[in-house]
């Protein structure tokens, strides 16, 4: 992997991170149902960046760097547990994508995106399992109110809720992947021997 590849990955990952934040805001508009749609809104709008990145930098390590950089940004923002979740997501994504030729395999990209984003979406559950409600309250008093932690604990304590989160995430991520591939092939792939705006 060359320096220009790392720069391209970094730029697109930062764009994806901003879109993740927008998706989080959109999820917040669902009010009491927010935890059900959790990360799915972000997955829907970040998919075009994900698919474009994989096609433009089809090299082993691209997805690892993508999720790692996201984790580093979260850490800089003060939410360091996300880097642990995102390193796990990064490893799983690299294992799923397999060899570098699969970075331009739309079917493999779709399945990798869906599974990786579903792991990402379950970060709240993982935090509660690893840190317990008391740990979240102690480590992040400014980020989680006692009421929010109590609500999260009650939500994830119900297996049906967790199943619903996974199902919604899988369906929306799949739709997002198809949307992302459409955007990539429509606007960023090479056509008629012309370079795309990202080449």
């Amino acid at each position: 992997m060359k320096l220009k590849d790392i720069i391209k990955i970094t730029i697109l990952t930062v764009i994806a991170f901003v879109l993740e934040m927008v998706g989080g805001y959109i999820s917040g508009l669902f009010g009491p149902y927010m935890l059900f749609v959790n990360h799915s809104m972000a997955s829907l709008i970040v998919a075009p960046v994900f698919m474009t990145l994989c096609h433009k930098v089809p090299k082993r390590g691209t997805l690892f760097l993508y999720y790692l950089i996201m984790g580093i940004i979260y850490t800089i923002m003060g939410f360091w547990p996300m880097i642990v979740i995102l390193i796990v997501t990064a490893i799983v994504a690299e294992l799923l994508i397999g060899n570098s030729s699969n970075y331009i395999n739309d079917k493999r990209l779709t399945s990798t995106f869906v599974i990786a984003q579903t792991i990402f979406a379950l970060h709240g559950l993982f935090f509660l399992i690893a840190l317990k409600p008391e740990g979240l309250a102690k480590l992040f008093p400014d980020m989680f109110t006692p009421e929010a932690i109590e609500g999260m604990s009650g939500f994830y304590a119900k297996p049906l809720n967790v199943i619903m989160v996974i199902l919604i995430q899988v369906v929306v991520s799949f739709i997002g992947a198809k949307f992302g591939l459409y955007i990539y092939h429509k606007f960023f792939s090479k056509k008629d021997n012309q370079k795309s705006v990202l080449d």
Side-chain angles (χ1 to χ4, degrees):
M1 188 175 291
K2 298 177 181 178
L3 178 60
K4 69 175 183 178
D5 296 323
I6 295 173
I7 292 172
K8 193 178 291 186
I9 292 169
T10 302
I11 291 171
L12 289 174
T13 302
V14 171
I15 293 170
F17 184 84
V18 172
L19 292 175
E20 294 272 359
M21 295 295 101
V22 172
Y25 174 78
I26 294 171
S27 295
L29 299 178
F30 284 78
Y33 303 103
M34 180 188 74
L35 290 175
F36 283 105
V37 296
N38 194 329
H39 191 64
S40 57
M41 296 298 101
S43 296
L44 186 63
I45 62 177
V46 81
V49 179
F50 182 97
M51 297 302 173
T52 299
L53 171 62
C54 290
H55 277 88
K56 291 302 179 183
V57 191
K59 298 180 180 179
R60 289 310 306 266
T62 292
L63 284 180
F64 185 86
L65 284 177
Y66 172 81
Y67 285 111
L68 176 63
I69 292 168
M70 281 207 175
I72 291 170
I73 296 172
Y74 273 111
T75 301
I76 292 170
M77 293 174 64
F79 199 27
W80 60 265
M82 282 301 293
I83 197 167
V84 178
I85 301 296
L86 287 165
I87 286 175
V88 172
T89 305
I91 293 170
V92 171
E94 281 293 334
L95 290 174
L96 288 171
I97 202 70
N99 59 52
S100 58
S101 64
N102 288 328
Y103 274 90
I104 56 174
N105 180 322
D106 290 351
K107 288 184 178 179
R108 183 64 72 91
L109 277 178
T110 297
S111 60
T112 298
F113 180 75
V114 170
I115 294 171
Q117 291 296 104
T118 300
I119 295 171
F120 195 165
L122 293 173
H123 62 270
L125 174 61
F126 297 144
F127 292 155
L128 285 170
I129 292 172
L131 300 173
K132 309 298 182 194
E134 316 82 60
L136 278 177
K138 185 177 179 180
L139 287 171
F140 306 103
D142 298 328
M143 193 170 293
F144 296 104
T145 64
E147 294 78 15
I149 293 173
E150 184 179 350
M152 283 177 59
S153 299
F155 179 84
Y156 286 116
K158 299 175 181 178
L160 182 59
N161 287 348
V162 176
I163 292 170
M164 287 301 296
V165 169
I166 293 171
L167 288 176
I168 291 169
Q169 179 65 42
V170 167
V171 170
V172 177
S173 292
F174 180 80
I175 294 169
K178 295 302 181 183
F179 170 64
L181 288 168
Y182 169 79
I183 294 296
Y184 167 74
H185 289 298
K186 181 74 173 178
F187 299 104
F188 299 111
S189 62
K190 292 179 181 179
K191 292 183 178 181
D192 301 322
N193 296 321
Q194 296 295 317
K195 286 188 174 182
S196 80
V197 295
L198 291 178
D199 292 315

